[in-house]
Amino acid sequence: MATRLQYENNCEIGVFSKLTNAYCLVAIGGSENFYSTFEAELADVIPVVKTSIAGTRIIGRMCAGNKKGLLLPHNTTDQELQHLRNSLPDSVVVQRIEERLSALGNCISCNDHVALTHPDLDKETEELIADVLGVEVFRQTVAGNILVGSYCTFSNIGGLVHPHTSIEDLDELSTLLQVPLVAGTVNRGSDVIAAGLTVNDWTAFCGSDTTATELSVIESVFKLREAKPSALVDEMRKSLIDTYV
Amino acid sequence: MPRKPKKHSHSLRHRLVTFSPFARSKAMATRNRGATKVIEKPKLQNKDLATSSFNGFKNNGKDKTQQSGSSASSDDEEFEGDVQADFVFFDPKPSDFHGVKVLLQTYLDNLQWDLSGFVDLILGQPTVGTVVKIENDEDDAVYSVVSALNLGRYKDSKCVLELKDYLLKVCRDMDVKGKLKSLVGEHVQDVGLLVSQRVVNLPPQLLPPLYNGLFDEVEWATEDEPTEELQSSFRFKFYLIISKIYKHKSADQNGGTVKNGEETLIYNRPEDEIFFMLSSWSFSFPSHAQQVTANEMQLKNYRPMGLVMVVEASKISSFRKQLHSLIDE
């Protein structure tokens, strides 16, 4: 299910939080309401960790991660790094990287298997991403924008990209990522998808300005609607034997 | 009858003293674009540079101006000269939603309220209200918004109810509270909420036409609106204004006077001073939202406050004259 919420009158949820399949990071300084909405959805399943990165609240845009790891920019303080290492599960590798482009969330978009990165990222960084996050890395642009981390967001199930992405680009990206993609908007026509929305395999959070239409697109592409029989069959399809010859 | 956008081309010799993050980033963007242009085409004559425009900004490169406190770029080039911009006034329309919302973020301090609904009210009133943009701006950014909303007309909407509750809550002055209660209670049909927000460095020369435009539109609306009910909704008797000021920290203790000849009150916007003098009553309350201020040193003795004023509609013509003379001097 997708939840609508706000951070201090601001609908850019993806800026102030980071959601993956193994953990959720939330910015400090917001009202308890913001934090408790995340807790209500996620508390029993994954840890919800309050943090800052480099002293800022824009944590969603500063870091990139998936269930296997978390990458932090070079200006993350030692205390923040330690706090994150302590609070996240041991299976998650927390790594601070020396990369000129410090807004990693804007430069890297990833799920548990594939990552799309800013074309100008260092070769070293690319190798670190493949290593720490355990993903295959592709340098790409989305609708002509180099900030792939801002203009597209995808989980292991589906993805949402910038509204002006052409059909050819959509097909190409979909082949690369191996998930269905849809071009759409969030927060009442905003094209900065990843800033307005944060998603994992079973839930999504988006800004309260998101219209019902946008929300239904999000729920359908990320397959968030509850327990449809077809969803189960899709998952099991590989192991099901249809006919005996 | 739709009115055409009013054009006000001001060729500005206005030094952009940028001291807000937004303005800094805008100035940074033009500075970098300007700098690259100079480097790439060193043979361009000055007049070619002047006539070529990108996003409506032109870089004259005449005098070097120091940008106060900004040195984030590794570029050695200083922000050169004056920037020309053509400001255009438009009627508010639904596509301005995001721009207007950004300007109104701190309207009610750090209260979480139905801001989106409030912005919708402003945009739903194309006949009264103005949005200021830059000509041929590819970002279509909103630099200022003004509007007058009849609180009685919208009294059932969630945002107006939250606004009223907020005002009644922050008003600590008991004498004034009674007047405020009656204003938002029985007399709510006669009250116009004057909304006016802009980027900090908007040239002051735009203010007289902006406010003149608004008050003229209010007058025209009393005749042009389709129904009698709407026409009378614009016959305001009072204007309610919510704004921000800085009060000297020792002002309350010394009974309203301050040593060292420092000002008791500093107004963020010049028109607030005129409104305050013309107001029938007003009250201020401490503000909690994070304030971005340029002159930290100068403002360290001051506390940010919110200010609520009520001005009688009959005083508006006096306001227009005073604003004119204030800006033109």
Side-chain angles (χ1 to χ4, degrees):
Chain A
M1 271 317 289
T3 317
R4 275 188 270 216
L5 70 162
Q6 286 190 67
Y7 180 90
E8 284 186 1
N9 275 334
N10 195 317
C11 293
E12 310 292 346
I13 303 305
V15 171
F16 299 104
S17 65
K18 187 94 197 160
L19 180 63
T20 69
N21 288 325
Y23 55 88
C24 177
L25 303 180
V26 174
I28 53 175
S31 67
E32 276 309 306
N33 231 341
F34 186 68
Y35 185 60
S36 55
T37 315
F38 280 95
E39 285 261 277
E41 278 289 320
L42 305 167
D44 301 328
V45 196
I46 55 176
V48 181
V49 182
K50 270 193 190 173
T51 183
S52 64
I53 293 182
T56 68
R57 303 185 295 177
I58 50 169
I59 60 170
R61 305 292 88 217
M62 296 297 280
C63 67
N66 61 13
K67 74 174 185 215
K68 301 175 207 163
L70 176 67
L71 291 172
L72 299 169
H74 62 88
N75 42 4
T76 315
T77 65
D78 293 330
Q79 295 97 309
E80 290 164 351
L81 184 61
Q82 201 52 46
H83 170 64
L84 282 167
R85 285 217 169 106
N86 293 340
S87 324
L88 295 180
D90 293 330
S91 59
V92 179
V93 180
V94 179
Q95 176 85 357
R96 181 168 54 186
I97 62 179
E98 296 301 317
E99 162 61 55
R100 183 182 58 98
L101 302 171
S102 56
L104 298 176
N106 284 339
C107 300
I108 304 166
S109 183
C110 64
N111 63 9
D112 295 332
H113 309 291
V114 190
L116 292 182
T117 65
H118 191 291
D120 298 337
L121 231 51
D122 290 343
K123 199 80 184 83
E124 276 176 48
T125 310
E126 198 179 314
E127 286 163 18
L128 263 167
I129 297 172
D131 215 16
V132 173
L133 301 183
V135 293
E136 212 179 330
V137 182
F138 296 105
R139 287 168 189 264
Q140 269 288 342
T141 61
V142 170
N145 284 305
I146 49 179
L147 292 177
V148 288
S150 310
Y151 291 102
C152 83
T153 183
F154 53 97
S155 68
N156 295 324
I157 301 179
L160 187 65
V161 297
H162 190 286
H164 295 156
T165 314
S166 63
I167 307 278
E168 299 85 28
D169 280 354
L170 259 181
D171 285 336
E172 190 189 331
L173 284 170
S174 192
T175 326
L176 273 179
L177 303 176
Q178 291 297 305
V179 293
L181 294 179
V182 108
T185 63
V186 78
N187 278 339
R188 205 159 152 169
S190 166
D191 48 12
V192 193
I193 307 296
L197 163 73
T198 184
V199 68
N200 70 5
D201 285 349
W202 68 85
T203 189
F205 296 91
C206 55
S208 52
D209 277 343
T210 312
T211 63
T213 322
E214 291 168 337
L215 206 64
S216 76
V217 169
I218 290 168
E219 285 186 346
S220 81
V221 78
F222 290 108
K223 301 207 174 49
L224 299 173
R225 296 206 179 102
E226 289 329 322
K228 272 212 176 123
S230 59
L232 197 59
V233 173
D234 282 340
E235 284 268 2
M236 294 170 64
R237 190 169 291 278
K238 287 180 211 135
S239 52
L240 280 178
I241 303 170
D242 273 83
T243 56
Y244 277 105
V245 176
Chain B
M1 197 162 70
R3 282 184 263 272
K4 297 199 194 110
K6 305 153 252 183
K7 231 174 160 152
H8 288 268
S9 324
H10 289 266
S11 129
L12 301 161
R13 290 286 164 260
H14 182 76
R15 310 246 155 152
L16 273 181
V17 178
T18 55
F19 47 79
S20 75
F22 168 78
R24 218 177 292 145
S25 66
K26 263 276 180 244
M28 223 52 109
T30 51
R31 189 255 308 265
N32 287 338
R33 264 178 251 160
T36 350
K37 194 113 188 172
V38 170
I39 290 166
E40 282 170 5
K41 297 177 187 174
K43 294 197 186 109
L44 265 184
Q45 299 296 325
N46 257 345
K47 64 168 167 63
D48 285 28
L49 260 182
T51 52
S52 65
S53 61
F54 33 97
N55 274 11
F57 282 109
K58 298 171 198 157
N59 203 317
N60 283 341
K62 271 192 189 171
D63 343 273
K64 290 204 171 189
T65 335
Q66 281 274 8
Q67 235 186 353
S68 49
S70 71
S71 50
S73 176
S74 54
D75 229 305
D76 280 346
E77 290 233 24
E78 316 250 286
F79 178 59
E80 295 203 343
D82 308 316
V83 169
Q84 279 202 310
D86 286 336
F87 289 97
V88 190
F89 291 11
F90 288 102
D91 290 335
K93 50 189 195 294
S95 59
D96 298 326
F97 179 81
H98 292 285
V100 173
K101 186 169 182 191
V102 164
L103 286 174
L104 288 171
Q105 281 285 347
T106 49
Y107 188 58
L108 289 189
D109 208 14
N110 58 353
L111 178 78
Q112 194 146 24
W113 65 304
D114 185 20
L115 179 59
S116 303
F118 188 66
V119 174
D120 284 333
L121 291 185
I122 294 177
L123 301 177
Q125 215 178 254
T127 47
V128 172
T130 303
V131 158
V132 177
K133 298 188 194 175
I134 284 192
E135 188 163 5
N136 300 329
D137 185 8
E138 56 182 46
D139 292 326
D140 205 28
V142 175
Y143 287 82
S144 174
V145 61
V146 289
S147 186
L149 301 173
N150 182 305
L151 286 182
R153 178 176 171 191
Y154 303 112
K155 67 179 188 300
D156 295 325
S157 59
K158 183 164 172 243
C159 48
V160 171
L161 290 169
E162 287 177 331
L163 186 129
K164 281 192 212 165
D165 287 339
Y166 177 75
L167 290 179
L168 287 169
K169 191 182 76 166
V170 290
C171 180
R172 294 292 150 90
D173 191 338
M174 285 305 129
D175 329 311
V176 166
K177 197 158 188 170
K179 293 184 201 164
L180 179 65
K181 267 207 184 114
S182 91
L183 198 76
V184 298
E186 318 138 8
H187 299 131
V188 74
Q189 290 292 343
D190 307 321
V191 178
L193 181 69
L194 191 67
V195 180
S196 168
Q197 298 280 91
R198 56 182 187 267
V199 296
V200 184
N201 60 341
L202 196 77
Q205 295 94 320
L206 287 176
L207 295 177
L210 197 59
Y211 280 102
N212 284 339
L214 179 71
F215 294 120
D216 286 341
E217 280 183 325
V218 169
E219 235 182 274
W220 294 331
T222 58
E223 291 153 28
D224 292 342
E225 286 287 334
T227 70
E228 175 58 44
E229 199 187 332
L230 284 176
Q231 284 179 14
S232 58
S233 76
F234 286 106
R235 290 193 189 106
F236 299 125
K237 294 213 184 82
F238 305 99
Y239 284 100
L240 182 66
I241 300 152
I242 306 176
S243 149
K244 294 185 175 52
I245 52 168
Y246 290 96
K247 205 172 201 173
H248 200 281
K249 283 183 183 154
S250 57
D252 295 319
Q253 290 126 7
N254 298 349
T257 54
V258 174
K259 300 183 267 196
N260 309 333
E262 284 182 343
E263 298 285 325
T264 327
L265 289 176
I266 290 187
Y267 298 92
N268 268 340
R269 313 183 305 194
E271 68 269 25
D272 284 343
E273 195 166 359
I274 308 173
F275 276 130
F276 188 65
M277 286 194 292
L278 296 171
S279 62
S280 319
W281 50 266
S282 66
F283 66 90
S284 58
F285 55 92
S287 165
H288 302 287
Q290 277 189 353
Q291 298 270 6
V292 182
T293 48
N295 307 311
E296 289 290 343
M297 289 311 292
Q298 293 177 16
L299 286 173
K300 71 171 161 75
N301 291 330
Y302 291 85
R303 210 176 349 143
M305 311 270 287
L307 177 68
V308 177
M309 307 180 266
V310 167
V311 177
E312 275 170 35
S314 48
K315 303 259 175 71
I316 290 301
S317 49
S318 165
F319 164 76
R320 286 162 82 156
K321 282 199 214 86
Q322 289 189 36
L323 183 68
H324 218 279
S325 53
L326 179 70
I327 301 296
D328 289 343
E329 65 191 32

